[in-house]
Amino acid sequence: MRGLYGHCEEESRLEQIGLWPTPAGPFLCTHLQTGNPGSFCQGGGLPSAAQPCLIHAWDFLHTTPPPVHSHSPCKVYLPPLFHPDSQLDADMSAKIKCFEFGGCFFTVTRGDYSPLLEKVVENLKKAQRHAANPTQAEMLSHYIASFTQGSIVAHKEGSRCWIRDKGPIVESYIGFIESYRDPYGSRGEFEGFVAVVNKAMSAKFARLVAAAERLLEELPWPRAFEKDTFLKPDFTSLDVLTFAGSGIPAGINIPNYDDIRQTDGFKNVSLGNVLAVAYSTQKEKLTFLAEEDKDLYIQWKGPSFEVQVGLHELLGHGSGKLFVQDDSGAFNFDHEAVINPETGEQIRSWYRGGETWDSKFSNVASSYEECRAECVGLYLCLNKEVLGIFELEGEDAEDVIYINWLNMVRAGLLALEFYTPESGTWRQAHMQARFVILRVLLEAGGGLVSLQHTTGRDGKPDAVVSLDRSKITTIGKPALEHFLRKLQVLKSTADVAGGRTLYETYSAVTDEEPQRFLSLRKTVLLRKEERKLFVQANTRLEGKDVALVQYESSAAGLIKSFRDRFREDAEVLEKYLLEMAQADAHFWES
């Protein structure tokens, strides 16, 4: 591991993930920048029998740069196959070959990450023996098939079972899920979690679900832009036992398959013990707020964020309709009657068969959607019914509204840490979204939000962001309403050009007056807190009982947790990781 880290230190371009061969790092095939592999995987280059799963095929793919020139074959790896010589079903057999598409050749192969996925499958089979009900057992069977065959169809069937498994005490999900870190915004990163339900907080979320259909009517777009039927999801607050991935979110709305979300529904999850740890802070370490705001902020940040996460996941990601014309020519909306509220004209664009939100909006899709969900949370937190669901009323309710909005504008400032001036790119979807919202609220004017460059007590650059709470409903709400409606209309109508222009304009980081965001970025980096480390517990069998093993909150505790978790096979796993890194190393050579 030291050798791998040392190699990255020697070549700075390997420290970031980006499109090859830009300075941000050699991650993807050159062709990808012209969209060829994306188009190929969305259906243009594979047989029609594979079409149903091609909508999300790119989530599972790993593309290598062509070895000689642009006419050399571009290899597309399917990771979830743990034995290269394993027997394939008919669906997958049709995909493992060479295709010509758009003047390029694509060789679809398999076996990527096989040693690790063999371990995953081995443990899923063990877990299957302890499934709480037949639905869970069926779900695990589909996951095993997916990671053995490389079948997205199987993973989607497993996800359908997961949605049907209502109210389990122990919750889990696994697969190639989120595309946040993919420079192209399409391919999923592997993750998995196991958590237990917090029943008290889950009861509040259940009441929010019960009120969801009424609350959706409050959102600022016409009824035609909302889903025909709201499929009430399972919404629980979980305490994470283990979360395996590059980061731990505060909340989740999954699965990410658009077709399943539209027809089968989804689940919402709030990770309560993550919220408690990630968003705790000490007054003396609290940056960029006026002194008079700090005590109130510390008191209400936790409760306000619970409200925000609930609204963000359930009614943010769970709202809005995509206008689609399927392969047979049928529309899922009245294309002759529905009017675009932004233009007053008929709808002129929509998604065609095989196209999805991610495939159309590509690398801007994740952050755009997070921004839309965050806006929904801010907008609906003003609703008294919502506040009542979370047992907030009177002055407490007003304080929660204020801190929720203040937290968002402060987060927009903190987000500058995740902007890379050298490449002009954002490295984190949620942070980019929060910066965009800060820009929108600053643009609203009227003294709603102010952002000042100051000098700290230590004589170094500092800054203060403030929000006039008396103007949230009079200036803030109308500004957010207009922006949120525009986000939804552009998304619903597949208006990629309009959506990109809008979002990239607000995402721009410059040093223009009066904010001078590039200068503020230096201040943010100067004042940033140490990154929080999540020390995760383990379980072990003691006779017939399961014991929970916890660790001290320190770097030593984190290391011990990992050592204990992989006590039996640590050396083997490290060997696999090194071999895979070395096998791919020649792709990243200058």
Side-chain angles (χ1 to χ4, degrees):
M1 291 297 115
R2 286 195 187 98
L4 289 176
Y5 182 74
H7 183 54
C8 290
E9 276 193 314
E10 292 169 8
E11 294 199 52
S12 60
R13 67 189 180 87
L14 298 180
E15 293 176 353
Q16 299 178 45
I17 297 175
L19 293 173
W20 183 83
T22 67
F27 189 73
L28 303 179
C29 171
T30 306
H31 293 319
L32 189 54
Q33 298 185 63
T34 66
N36 282 346
S39 301
F40 165 71
C41 294
Q42 287 154 21
L46 293 186
S48 58
Q51 294 293 327
C53 72
L54 287 177
I55 294 171
H56 297 278
W58 196 243
D59 288 353
F60 273 20
L61 302 182
H62 174 195
T63 306
T64 66
V68 182
H69 52 76
S70 61
H71 295 290
S72 299
C74 195
K75 288 189 177 179
V76 180
Y77 289 104
L78 295 174
L81 287 147
F82 71 83
H83 285 307
D85 58 349
S86 59
Q87 191 68 33
L88 293 176
D89 61 23
D91 175 61
M92 291 306 300
S93 295
K95 300 174 185 175
I96 307 301
K97 61 182 181 180
C98 185
F99 299 89
E100 183 178 1
F101 177 73
C104 300
F105 291 93
F106 294 86
T107 300
V108 181
T109 186
R110 57 198 177 106
D112 218 13
Y113 307 114
S114 292
L116 296 181
L117 284 159
E118 183 171 9
K119 288 284 187 183
V120 171
V121 169
E122 176 186 321
N123 283 279
L124 286 174
K125 288 179 177 177
K126 292 178 181 178
Q128 197 171 24
R129 298 198 293 266
H130 303 280
N133 54 57
T135 302
Q136 288 185 6
E138 183 185 352
M139 172 186 76
L140 292 171
S141 292
H142 289 306
Y143 290 159
I144 290 166
S146 176
F147 300 146
T148 303
Q149 292 283 324
S151 169
I152 297 172
V153 171
H155 193 269
K156 291 172 78 171
E157 288 305 313
S159 297
R160 288 188 171 96
C161 292
W162 184 69
I163 294 167
R164 293 198 301 271
D165 186 30
K166 301 289 187 182
I169 300 301
V170 178
E171 186 65 278
S172 64
Y173 195 62
I174 191 169
F176 295 81
I177 311 302
E178 304 292 355
S179 59
Y180 298 129
R181 300 213 310 159
D182 178 18
Y184 198 65
S186 297
R187 301 175 306 164
E189 182 178 6
F190 193 83
E191 67 178 43
F193 71 85
V194 176
V196 292
V197 172
N198 180 322
K199 292 185 178 180
M201 193 64 203
S202 295
K204 295 180 183 178
F205 289 139
R207 292 197 293 273
L208 187 64
V209 171
E213 289 175 282
R214 290 194 305 277
L215 295 172
L216 284 171
E217 295 174 358
E218 301 296 318
L219 292 174
W221 49 76
R223 180 65 186 86
F225 286 75
E226 192 48 68
K227 292 185 179 76
D228 298 336
T229 304
F230 181 74
L231 301 171
K232 291 185 178 181
D234 212 14
F235 195 173
T236 51
S237 176
L238 303 178
D239 289 332
V240 171
L241 177 61
T242 183
F243 202 110
S246 61
I248 306 179
I252 315 170
N253 180 285
I254 42 182
N256 288 332
Y257 302 112
D258 286 336
D259 52 342
I260 291 180
R261 294 169 66 83
Q262 296 283 332
T263 58
D264 298 78
F266 50 87
K267 278 187 179 183
N268 286 287
V269 170
S270 173
L271 304 180
N273 57 343
V274 175
L275 286 171
V277 174
Y279 297 96
S280 62
T281 190
Q282 299 171 346
K283 184 175 179 179
E284 58 271 18
K285 294 184 178 180
L286 193 53
T287 55
F288 309 129
L289 290 180
E291 285 299 320
E292 59 268 24
D293 281 329
K294 289 184 178 179
D295 287 333
L296 197 67
Y297 184 88
I298 290 171
Q299 179 183 357
W300 292 110
K301 184 180 180 183
S304 72
F305 204 72
E306 286 176 348
V307 174
Q308 179 68 14
V309 169
L311 294 171
H312 173 116
E313 299 297 344
L314 176 66
L315 299 170
H317 292 313
S319 66
K321 180 175 183 174
L322 302 183
F323 295 151
V324 179
Q325 181 184 22
D326 65 24
D327 289 330
S328 70
F331 291 87
N332 72 341
F333 69 105
D334 189 340
H335 67 286
E336 294 181 351
V338 176
I339 299 298
N340 184 324
E342 293 295 308
T343 65
E345 301 174 350
Q346 284 186 322
I347 302 301
R348 298 178 183 273
S349 58
W350 48 81
Y351 298 83
R352 310 285 175 169
E355 293 180 339
T356 69
W357 162 246
D358 281 328
S359 71
K360 288 289 286 182
F361 282 74
S362 62
N363 62 342
V364 78
S366 290
S367 184
Y368 187 113
E369 173 60 12
E370 294 304 331
C371 184
R372 194 183 68 88
E374 291 282 46
C375 288
V376 168
L378 285 183
Y379 189 78
L380 288 180
C381 83
L382 302 172
N383 185 289
K384 296 222 181 314
E385 182 180 2
V386 168
L387 296 167
I389 287 169
F390 287 90
E391 299 172 359
L392 297 163
E393 57 184 22
E395 187 177 343
D396 289 351
E398 294 302 318
D399 285 343
V400 162
I401 291 171
Y402 174 57
I403 295 304
N404 194 32
W405 279 62
L406 180 63
N407 185 49
M408 186 62 70
V409 295
R410 177 176 181 260
L413 176 58
L414 295 173
L416 289 167
E417 175 189 343
F418 297 88
Y419 177 76
T420 305
E422 293 79 8
S423 59
T425 57
W426 286 89
R427 305 190 306 278
Q428 215 285 341
H430 297 78
M431 290 301 186
Q432 181 182 356
R434 291 159 188 162
F435 177 78
V436 167
I437 293 171
L438 171 62
R439 290 280 311 275
V440 169
L441 296 179
L442 281 166
E443 184 182 80
L448 173 68
V449 177
S450 66
L451 189 54
Q452 295 179 315
H453 292 254
T454 64
T455 301
R457 293 177 181 175
D458 56 4
K460 296 178 181 178
D462 208 338
V464 174
V465 63
S466 57
L467 172 75
D468 187 336
R469 65 189 297 168
S470 70
K471 297 176 180 177
I472 290 175
T473 55
T474 58
I475 296 176
K477 184 180 179 181
L480 200 65
E481 179 177 308
H482 177 69
F483 182 66
L484 180 53
R485 181 171 58 247
K486 189 171 290 188
L487 286 175
Q488 181 58 50
V489 169
L490 293 168
K491 179 182 179 181
S492 290
T493 59
D495 186 348
V496 178
R500 276 190 170 278
T501 299
L502 176 72
Y503 202 69
E504 290 173 354
T505 297
Y506 282 106
S507 297
V509 179
T510 71
D511 224 20
E512 295 177 3
E513 296 285 357
Q515 284 84 27
R516 292 188 290 128
F517 286 118
L518 282 175
S519 296
L520 279 173
R521 179 180 178 274
K522 295 176 183 177
T523 303
V524 169
L525 292 174
L526 177 69
R527 301 285 178 182
K528 76 173 185 176
E529 286 188 63
E530 293 181 357
R531 183 176 180 181
K532 287 184 171 66
L533 302 176
F534 291 88
V535 181
Q536 300 187 44
N538 285 314
T539 56
R540 68 177 175 221
L541 279 175
E542 294 181 353
K544 293 185 178 181
D545 296 325
V546 177
L548 181 69
V549 183
Q550 301 189 73
Y551 303 86
E552 66 178 50
S553 299
S554 66
L558 186 147
I559 293 168
K560 190 171 190 318
S561 170
F562 269 90
R563 283 173 60 90
D564 288 355
R565 182 169 303 159
F566 300 107
R567 183 179 298 174
E568 297 177 0
D569 50 8
E571 291 185 4
V572 172
L573 291 174
E574 183 174 37
K575 175 176 173 288
Y576 291 158
L577 290 168
L578 287 170
E579 287 175 350
M580 287 185 288
Q582 290 162 2
D584 284 348
H586 66 283
F587 293 129
W588 320 139
E589 294 172 359
S590 300

